[in-house]
Amino acid sequence: MTTPSLSLSLAPVAFYWTREQYFDFYERVAAWPVAGVTLGETVCSRRRDMKLADWLAIGRHLAAAGKQVTLGSQTLIESNADLRDLAKLCDNGDFMVEANDMSAVQRLSAAGLPFVGGLALNLYNVPTLAILQRSGMSRFVAPVELPGADLATLLGAARQAGLALECEVLAYGHLPLAWSSRCFTARHHQYPKDRCQFVCQRYPEGLSLATQDDSRRLFTLNGIQTLSGACQDLRHELGAMAEMGVTTARLSPRATAMDEIVDAFDRARHGHLASPSPLSLVDAELCNGYWHGQAGMDLAPAAGI
């Protein structure tokens, strides 16, 4: 079975990389078989290596390579400075914005600008989708804990209600679970948040938090964000996603082996699932439970993974 109608996209980089790492990474992305790329710092405003002008420069380069470029807004707004940065992002004039906070929705809607609804907006029902579509939303990212069966029901009901919305699903990567006003990575190093020494940059794929007996990676700490310990890998669900009306499978960037991950998903969306998995050396553990209506950290059944 092939699912050519299901495209691939890249989520914003969740972790704090160096400026050189971002530019090198997206230079390679230009040649990858991904249709869309969402750029920007969506986690912490203290990560200052990249300016809006840098993201716009990368975006223009990717757009010239045929990619659909979106700019992601910060998820947790904590200060007036964050609001000023949000205003500049929303008024960038080049690219659509992915709103990860209702303040971004308000700003974009008031300006009459179309936008993408980020997964942090927690969009679970048709009335909410309808309100945001009237506000300008043309695409939304499904919440990571929404089971596939429930998403199928939601998309079917949305179509019956006459809502023409594209839908993205996070098909690969550490699942974003929570954001906090505290910085757990700084706390781990005994630094206060406002003098964090930017220690996040020491962990280009996050800081692993294991169970007390050290038997399992429980969470991944990423500054003020908490992610799942393992990655979700829904390659075997791409056909079902396409049938239910999902338009895009979103992949969360990693510092290593991302080209292999994109290639594996590109093959999978055309029905080619290698066994054993070429990603088995990348991910020792997986957490696909949410998609199957189980505990999120469970590895739900998927032959060949």
Side-chain angles (χ1 to χ4, degrees):
M1 177 178 61
T2 61
T3 58
S5 62
L6 187 77
S7 63
L8 301 179
S9 74
L10 287 183
V13 175
F15 307 109
Y16 189 20
W17 295 352
T18 66
R19 189 172 185 274
E20 291 73 19
Q21 281 178 299
Y22 288 119
F23 274 91
D24 289 346
F25 177 79
Y26 286 111
E27 182 64 33
R28 290 186 287 127
V29 168
W32 289 353
V34 295
V37 182
T38 302
L39 302 170
E41 176 54 55
T42 63
V43 177
C44 179
S45 61
R46 288 182 59 78
R47 299 175 176 181
R48 299 170 182 151
D49 285 28
M50 295 288 286
K51 310 299 183 185
L52 177 59
D54 295 318
W55 292 120
L56 290 174
I58 291 174
R60 294 184 189 110
H61 175 67
L62 292 174
K67 311 301 182 188
Q68 182 184 29
V69 175
T70 307
L71 299 178
S73 75
Q74 191 175 321
T75 302
L76 185 61
I77 302 296
E78 299 184 84
S79 67
N80 288 331
D82 288 349
L83 287 173
R84 289 192 292 270
D85 289 342
L86 176 64
K88 293 176 184 177
L89 182 80
C90 293
D91 299 340
N92 75 87
D94 284 335
F95 303 113
M96 188 181 294
V97 170
E98 179 172 294
N100 289 303
D101 172 86
M102 289 307 293
S103 57
V105 171
Q106 191 279 331
R107 176 87 189 188
L108 294 161
S109 178
L113 295 171
F115 63 90
V116 179
L119 59 81
L121 294 185
N122 296 321
L123 307 179
Y124 293 103
N125 57 67
V126 172
T128 303
L129 293 178
I131 291 171
L132 290 182
Q133 186 185 52
R134 291 195 297 272
S135 299
M137 185 175 74
S138 60
R139 183 168 84 243
F140 76 101
V141 186
V144 295
E145 66 271 32
L146 186 65
D150 291 350
L151 179 59
T153 300
L154 174 61
L155 293 177
R159 287 191 294 272
Q160 289 183 353
L163 302 182
L165 289 169
E166 297 180 11
C167 175
E168 289 192 48
V169 168
L170 181 61
Y172 179 85
H174 294 285
L175 301 175
L177 303 174
W179 291 260
S180 170
S181 58
R182 290 188 175 187
C183 177
F184 297 108
T185 309
R187 177 74 173 177
H188 173 75
H189 286 275
Q190 303 301 309
Y191 294 138
K193 180 183 176 183
D194 58 355
R195 295 190 297 278
C196 65
Q197 308 300 312
F198 307 105
V199 290
C200 290
Q201 211 162 54
R202 301 183 194 177
Y203 306 99
E205 293 197 351
L207 174 61
S208 178
L209 178 65
T211 54
Q212 286 188 332
D213 60 3
D214 205 31
S215 63
R216 188 171 189 180
R217 181 170 176 168
L218 187 60
F219 296 116
T220 300
L221 301 183
N222 178 38
I224 67 171
Q225 183 186 50
T226 302
L227 302 159
S228 60
C231 284
Q232 177 168 262
D233 179 354
L234 298 180
R235 275 173 299 142
H236 289 76
E237 310 302 329
L238 297 186
M241 287 183 193
E243 290 178 3
M244 70 176 67
V246 173
T247 52
T248 307
R250 171 177 281 212
L251 315 178
S252 186
R254 297 186 61 170
T256 57
M258 198 61 204
D259 51 349
E260 298 174 31
I261 293 164
V262 171
D263 181 67
F265 270 84
D266 187 43
R267 292 174 180 272
R269 76 190 183 102
H270 289 93
H272 306 302
L273 287 158
S275 184
S277 166
L279 301 186
S280 58
L281 297 179
V282 179
D283 295 304
E285 295 183 2
L286 297 173
C287 57
N288 296 346
Y290 279 145
W291 182 259
H292 297 276
Q294 301 176 15
M297 65 191 304
D298 285 351
L299 171 58
I305 285 183

